[in-house]
Amino acid sequence: MKIGAWTAVAMLGLTSVTLAQDGNTLSIDGETIVTEAVAPAHLENLDTIYSGWRFRTSETQALQIDDFDNPAMIFVDQALDLFEAVDGSEGKSCSSCHTDGPEEFAGLHASMPKVVDGKLVVMEDLINSHRQDVMGAEPWKWSGADMQAMVALIGLQSRGTPMDVTIDGDAAPFWEKGKELYYTRFGQLEMSCANCHEDNYGTMIRADHLSQGQINGFPTYRLKQAKLISRHNRFRGCIRDTRAETFAEGSDEFRALELYVASRSNGLHVETPAVRQ
Amino acid sequence: MASGVKPRVKVPKTAAAGETITIKTLISHKMESGQRKDDDGNIIPRSIINRFTADFNGENVIDVTLEPAISTNPYFQFDAVVPESGEFKFTWYDDDGDVYDTSKEITVS
Amino acid sequence: MEITRRRILEIGTGAFACAGFLGLPAFASLSDDAITEFTGGAEMGEGVITLTAPEIAENGNTVPIGVDAPGAVEVSIFADGNPEPKVATFNFGPLSASRGASTRIRLARTQNVVAVAKMEDGTFQMVSAEVKVTIGGCGG
């Protein structure tokens, strides 16, 4: 099994890193999160899909097991305040309309991105369109702290429900475009998403233990940046590492890629907000 | 750094007299180390929380001196004994003079 | 185990990395100075306090550590490979229970984390642990 390759490195001196990917389950405050599932039918090259949590060291994994230890939760707390904060020309807050609170959005994250009126929309689009059209407020920056805190708060309402994005019907052309991007080699290194996350997950790329690149835990608190990282920011980072000019956060290319990558996670539980390296 | 600083603390709501309880605290703060440079090569000045204290009914539990090597969003876990019902007070001291605090009640049976 | 070119590269890198870890940090004297400042140069015993730290930190920006120092009144943490070796000092008050604490720290590179405890009788105890910090992953 490829996923055990870190142990090969461990035997050579980097000893006793305990990766819990072999059978350990993620349980957050008593709620069981599925981190391994049968790959969705559309995935031709994988039989099993694994959450990125399974590829992390036990110390990093531990940060996600307890909601208090999870540093992402301070930003979820901030988003709860933002949810109540009046902003914009209409004198409204999120809670002016969404009177049942963020809980109203249970399940939404698991079905995103989705096509609305012929357009592919992701969570950031929904938030900003409501801010602009309903509240008369300025849109938030894609990877800004306020935006990603709100995406995390809404995502958290779906934690523990299986990812289930639609790939047919209206979504089909966007999904096909995303799939094409996933398998396109970019940059001077000529690497596609698939080269790392499908062909070589479980092995090391320099000092990184490659995961399957699943996005069921985004926005995710990355220890490196010590803040919530958006899906598009992570896409940009990966493509930049191939020494390519990347697409912009919020570009149609990344929306399509997000739909395709989200569909590769279909069956894994939403973990938002996860903790990664 | 006065804006966007938000403390979180976890204290059990009840305990037996003299029982040891575990407390966890987390606060949002960038903990700028003073070691980093900006795009123009200038050192970004240090701006950290330099002290954290936990007290119970006016008596000290722990008093921590923080250096720039403490990670962004400082986290502490420690134990306390609670002799009677009362209130924990947690205080964080910022380099810029700001002080953030929060309290938690605990009932001892 | 299937032997591929990539795996051979990994093995090579692993062996090289091991060799690199044998070198002692050049900044050891800085942390020695900081420790002396804390102990006043007193001799330090070992075996009483324990330090919990990962052998390998996935990211040096956030490394969880914990110290357990029964009988200590004060514990100071040092990182001997950081530009500034002091990390934190814990003073235990009258209502502190276990004389232990956990936090998350920054480590600039592979190095030793050292905990020094001042005990109730005025003597000092120390413990250290090497933490390997992985550098060269996928950033950004």
Side-chain angles (χ1 to χ4, degrees):
Chain A
M1 188 182 177
K2 263 178 168 177
I3 203 164
W6 177 291
T7 14
V9 179
M11 287 189 303
L12 287 151
L14 311 180
T15 43
S16 70
V17 169
T18 38
L19 287 172
Q21 72 250 16
D22 296 322
N24 253 25
T25 49
L26 170 56
S27 170
I28 304 172
D29 296 335
E31 183 188 14
T32 303
I33 306 284
V34 166
T35 59
E36 175 177 345
V38 175
H42 69 78
L43 271 186
E44 293 150 12
N45 306 322
L46 293 179
D47 297 325
T48 311
I49 50 174
Y50 300 96
S51 156
W53 184 81
R54 298 280 290 272
F55 297 84
R56 304 282 50 96
T57 60
S58 54
E59 290 85 7
T60 307
Q61 287 186 330
L63 296 176
Q64 205 185 317
I65 285 173
D66 176 319
D67 271 349
F68 195 89
D69 290 342
N70 184 341
M73 289 300 173
I74 46 185
F75 304 105
V76 168
D77 272 3
Q78 287 174 356
L80 279 170
D81 292 343
L82 287 169
F83 201 85
E84 302 294 332
V86 172
D87 194 7
S89 58
E90 304 305 307
K92 287 180 177 169
S93 68
C94 302
S95 63
S96 306
C97 299
H98 304 287
T99 50
D100 292 335
E103 292 81 3
E104 217 176 277
F105 300 109
L108 177 63
H109 181 102
S111 68
M112 295 290 288
K114 63 166 96 177
V115 176
V116 180
D117 299 330
K119 246 189 115 185
L120 181 64
V121 297
V122 302
M123 197 67 81
E124 286 87 346
D125 294 319
L126 285 186
I127 292 169
N128 263 348
S129 67
H130 282 222
R131 282 183 60 77
Q132 289 176 279
D133 303 343
V134 183
M135 296 166 69
E138 286 294 312
W140 277 329
K141 230 179 113 196
W142 200 273
S143 282
D146 289 348
M147 174 63 96
Q148 292 309 317
M150 190 59 76
V151 176
L153 172 65
I154 295 172
L156 174 64
Q157 312 309 317
S158 301
R159 194 170 68 180
T161 53
M163 287 291 293
D164 185 21
V165 298
T166 302
I167 66 172
D168 53 8
D170 285 356
F174 298 104
W175 184 81
E176 289 292 347
K177 184 181 167 193
K179 183 177 179 182
E180 194 189 321
L181 285 166
Y182 190 88
Y183 287 100
T184 300
R185 288 173 178 268
F186 289 104
Q188 291 177 330
L189 298 183
E190 295 186 37
M191 289 169 84
S192 71
C193 306
N195 290 148
C196 285
H197 297 294
E198 187 169 276
D199 304 340
N200 282 297
Y201 69 87
T203 63
M204 302 297 289
I205 182 163
R206 300 186 67 207
D208 248 343
H209 191 213
L210 283 171
S211 73
Q212 288 184 341
Q214 303 288 359
I215 58 172
N216 53 309
F218 275 78
T220 194
Y221 187 91
R222 277 193 105 211
L223 301 180
K224 183 184 169 69
Q225 292 97 342
K227 64 175 189 175
L228 286 172
I229 296 300
S230 69
R231 280 162 280 233
H232 289 196
N233 181 280
R234 192 55 251 164
F235 291 163
R236 201 169 52 102
C238 277
I239 295 182
R240 184 210 50 213
D241 287 351
T242 71
R243 300 185 193 159
E245 285 289 332
T246 84
F247 303 103
E249 295 174 359
S251 62
D252 284 341
E253 286 85 358
F254 276 172
R255 282 191 183 83
L257 184 61
E258 182 177 334
L259 171 63
Y260 177 69
V261 177
S263 81
R264 294 174 68 94
S265 297
N266 274 354
L268 291 175
H269 280 183
V270 173
E271 283 175 33
T272 307
V275 181
R276 301 288 184 259
Q277 80 287 21
Chain B
M1 193 65 200
S3 68
V5 173
K6 193 162 176 101
R8 290 188 100 209
V9 298
K10 186 178 184 180
V11 175
K13 286 190 178 65
T14 58
E19 188 186 339
T20 294
I21 59 161
T22 297
I23 294 171
K24 296 178 180 188
T25 71
L26 191 59
I27 191 165
S28 56
H29 196 287
K30 63 181 187 313
M31 295 292 283
E32 189 61 59
S33 68
Q35 299 285 343
R36 298 197 311 154
K37 289 178 179 167
D38 64 18
D39 291 342
D40 300 326
N42 304 312
I43 297 269
I44 305 171
R46 166 183 144 153
S47 172
I48 67 168
I49 287 174
N50 57 52
R51 186 180 176 210
F52 163 74
T53 59
D55 298 282
F56 180 74
N57 287 353
E59 261 204 291
N60 184 252
V61 178
I62 199 166
D63 187 336
V64 187
T65 306
L66 289 75
E67 306 290 346
I70 295 293
S71 301
T72 305
N73 306 324
Y75 169 90
F76 293 109
Q77 180 184 323
F78 50 93
D79 294 338
V81 270
V82 278
E84 73 262 333
S85 294
E87 189 181 68
F88 278 101
K89 189 175 184 202
F90 305 96
T91 316
W92 292 261
Y93 299 85
D94 197 309
D95 273 351
D96 68 9
D98 280 331
V99 175
Y100 320 107
D101 60 48
T102 189
S103 304
K104 283 276 174 182
E105 299 274 344
I106 185 166
T107 308
V108 167
S109 52
Chain C
M1 189 171 86
E2 181 195 2
I3 298 291
T4 61
R5 191 178 68 93
R6 180 171 290 273
R7 189 150 283 137
I8 287 167
L9 283 175
E10 274 165 24
I11 292 168
T13 313
F16 178 72
C18 289
F21 293 144
L22 295 176
L24 282 171
F27 295 125
S29 63
L30 261 184
S31 66
D32 286 352
D33 290 351
I35 291 169
T36 305
E37 191 189 320
F38 181 68
T39 61
E43 239 174 75
M44 296 181 286
E46 285 188 57
V48 172
I49 66 173
T50 52
L51 179 64
T52 308
E55 279 196 46
I56 299 178
E58 276 191 294
N59 195 288
N61 261 348
T62 314
V63 183
I65 60 147
V67 61
D68 187 22
V73 290
E74 195 176 346
V75 173
S76 208
I77 311 284
F78 305 91
D80 70 7
N82 274 3
E84 161 56 63
K86 285 188 194 173
V87 174
T89 302
F90 299 92
N91 279 281
F92 299 105
L95 292 183
S96 128
S98 67
R99 309 299 161 103
S102 302
T103 186
R104 296 165 187 166
I105 69 170
R106 293 168 170 155
L107 296 176
R109 59 198 182 89
T110 294
Q111 58 184 289
N112 294 306
V113 175
V114 183
V116 181
K118 184 179 183 185
M119 311 307 286
E120 276 155 357
D121 63 4
T123 62
F124 290 89
Q125 288 283 326
M126 68 92 77
V127 63
S128 83
E130 190 193 43
V131 179
K132 294 170 181 109
V133 175
T134 58
I135 294 171
C138 301

